[in-house]
Amino acid sequence: QVQLVESGGGLVQAGASLRLSCLASGRSFSSYSMGWFRQAPGKEREFVIGMSASGGRTSSADSVKGRFTISRDNAKNTVYLQMNSLKPEDTAVYYCAATRVGSGSYLPTRPVSYAYWGQGTQVSVSS
């Protein structure tokens, strides 16, 4: 099992940057595919960006392409979400998620495919 704790959220103005961190406890962090999701009030949880366990594969939603990047530091059991050029529509609770199903290149984008979730961190972007 793995436990996930997000940090780094906050209130920023449009155009600003934020970096979210997700610290994982437990063993074999490097064997987990990691994803970031977000959920705005009244909306379904949506995939934002993810990275396979091997680190060789990433995927991101069209709405964040060119603005958000994901990285991981297996030595620190941490995955990061760098968010640049933030927009008001990026306002949401951001969740880190992990799964160990599949091969090292496995990278699901549906929430149901992830077994482990953090508690979420609020990101608010003002116009």
Side-chain angles (χ1 to χ4, degrees), residues 108-121:
T109 59
R110 296 187 305 157
V112 68
S113 299
Y114 288 82
Y116 305 102
W117 292 84
Q119 82 289 350
T121 185

